[in-house]
Each structure stands twice: as structure tokens, then as C-alpha cells.
């Protein structure tokens, strides 16, 4: 339960960072989506019920801080968590390069879903002309920030304690060497 509250605190901090500090420092196409990175990590490392609840709450936080319409990021993050859980059964989730590749795929899926929802449901056809040119910069920025966050997490892993099965982090299972 402590980990769940840590993720929620990190999500609220990331939402504040995304809505207040990053717009002052970075142009719009070069701003990372830190909550998306956290959502993908949650989808890999937590059980499904906790990941869905966290996705619902973090999507609501992002909708309230910096979302164009209420419920958009909630539905997008729930779909991303379900897709991540489906992939996590088939992949080695302890591989940091695979985590970065999953972040790239999650960024593409998020942009596709946001463009689809806003085009179909909100009748905002010009949104695709804004989203499509920004995808390469957002991919690069999300991967760079995810690499930095993963590096920091690996450095501070000893402070939080080792946990087997933590996505993106190397560990040896209890069956290692037997």
C-alpha cells in the first residue's frame, strides 16, 4: 500500500511539474509526458487492480490539471494499462531497453488515442494537424526523460529496498542458480 501512495504522490508531482514548470522551460513539442511514463511503469510492475485504480486517478489528475476535456486521459490511460498488461505476459519486463521501447510504443498509442477521441467525439478535426508533427519530438523527449528516471531509480534502488519483479530493474529470482 505504501508503494501505491508513492506512485500517487509521484503522479501528482509530475502533473504539477507538467502544468507549471515545464511550460516555462520547454517548447510545447519538447515537453515530456511524465505521467504516461509512470502509467506504463505501473502497468508493468503492479497488479492489474492497483494499476487500473492508479490509472484512473492519475488520468483524473491530468485531466484536471492540463487536460482539454474531462475523461480524455482517464480512458486513454486505462486502455494503455490494459495493453501494457497484455504485452507484459509475453515479454521480459525486467529489461531496461524493452521498457524504453514500451515507452515509445505507449507514446504512439497515447497520441493515436487522443487524436482519435478528439476527432470522433469532440469534432476537433484540426487536432490531427497539431498532434502528428509533434510525435517525433515527444517520442524523443519521453525516451530521454524515461532514461533519466530509470537511471535515478536504479541509483536510489537501495534506499527503497529491492523488490523482485520490478519492471526495468535487474534482479535475480529465487530460482537463480538452481
Amino acid at each position: 500500500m505504501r508503494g501505491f501512495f508513492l506512485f500517487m504522490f509521484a503522479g501528482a508531482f509530475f502533473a504539477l511539474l507538467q502544468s507549471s514548470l515545464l511550460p516555462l522551460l520547454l517548447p510545447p513539442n519538447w515537453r515530456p509526458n511524465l505521467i504516461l511514463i509512470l502509467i506504463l511503469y505501473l502497468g508493468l510492475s503492479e497488479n492489474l487492480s492497483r494499476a487500473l485504480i492508479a490509472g484512473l486517478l492519475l488520468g483524473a489528475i491530468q485531466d484536471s490539471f492540463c487536460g482539454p476535456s474531462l475523461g480524455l486521459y482517464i480512458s486513454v490511460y486505462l486502455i494503455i494499462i490494459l495493453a501494457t498488461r497484455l504485452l507484459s505476459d509475453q515479454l521480459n519486463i525486467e529489461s531496461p531497453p524493452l521498457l524504453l521501447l514500451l515507452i515509445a510504443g505507449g507514446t504512439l498509442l497515447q497520441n493515436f488515442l487522443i487524436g482519435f477521441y478528439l476527432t470522433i467525439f469532440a469534432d476537433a478535426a484540426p487536432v490531427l494537424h497539431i498532434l502528428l508533427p509533434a510525435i517525433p519530438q515527444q517520442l524523443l523527449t519521453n525516451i530521454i526523460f524515461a532514461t533519466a528516471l530509470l537511471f535515478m531509480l536504479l541509483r536510489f534502488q537501495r534506499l527503497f529496498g529491492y523488490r523482485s519483479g520490478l519492471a526495468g530493474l535487474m534482479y535475480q529470482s529465487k530460482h537463480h542458480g538452481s
Side-chain angles (χ1 to χ4, degrees), residues 4 17 57 59 62 77 84 87 91 98-99 121 132 161 170:
F4 180 78
L17 196 64
L57 293 173
Q62 187 162 4
Y77 288 154
T84 303
L87 283 175
L91 302 172
L98 185 61
L99 181 64
F121 298 122
L132 290 177
M170 299 298 177

Side-chain angles (χ1 to χ4, degrees), residues 54-82:
L56 181 80
L57 293 173
L58 291 173
I61 288 171
Q62 187 162 4
D63 278 336
S64 64
F65 275 97
C66 52
S69 60
L70 191 62
L72 176 67
Y73 284 102
I74 293 172
S75 59
V76 167
Y77 288 154
L78 291 179
I79 290 171
I80 288 174
I81 286 174
L82 291 174

Side-chain angles (χ1 to χ4, degrees), residues 22-45:
L22 290 180
L24 298 174
L25 301 175
L26 299 170
N29 291 349
W30 291 98
R31 292 181 199 147
N33 190 343
L34 300 173
I35 295 178
L36 173 67
I37 296 169
L38 185 63
I39 289 292
L40 288 166
Y41 191 78
L42 275 166
L44 290 175
S45 63

Side-chain angles (χ1 to χ4, degrees), residues 112-171:
F112 170 75
L113 289 172
I114 288 174
F116 175 75
Y117 285 154
L118 290 178
T119 302
I120 299 298
F121 298 122
D123 196 27
V127 78
L128 290 178
H129 298 292
I130 297 169
L131 284 177
L132 290 177
I135 289 176
Q137 291 97 351
Q138 192 175 24
L139 268 172
L140 184 64
T141 306
N142 279 352
I143 290 175
I144 289 170
F145 272 80
T147 303
L149 288 173
L150 186 61
F151 179 74
M152 287 186 336
L153 189 61
L154 285 170
R155 297 292 260 176
F156 295 114
Q157 184 181 13
R158 290 186 190 100
L159 297 175
F160 298 118
Y162 291 101
R163 182 174 146 196
S164 65
L166 195 56
L169 304 176
M170 299 298 177
Y171 78 100

Side-chain angles (χ1 to χ4, degrees), residues 1 8 43 51 75 92 99-100 103 109 114 118 156 171 175 178:
M1 198 63 161
M8 295 311 299
S75 59
N92 176 16
L99 181 64
L100 297 177
I103 287 170
L109 181 61
I114 288 174
L118 290 178
F156 295 114
Y171 78 100
H175 301 294
S178 57

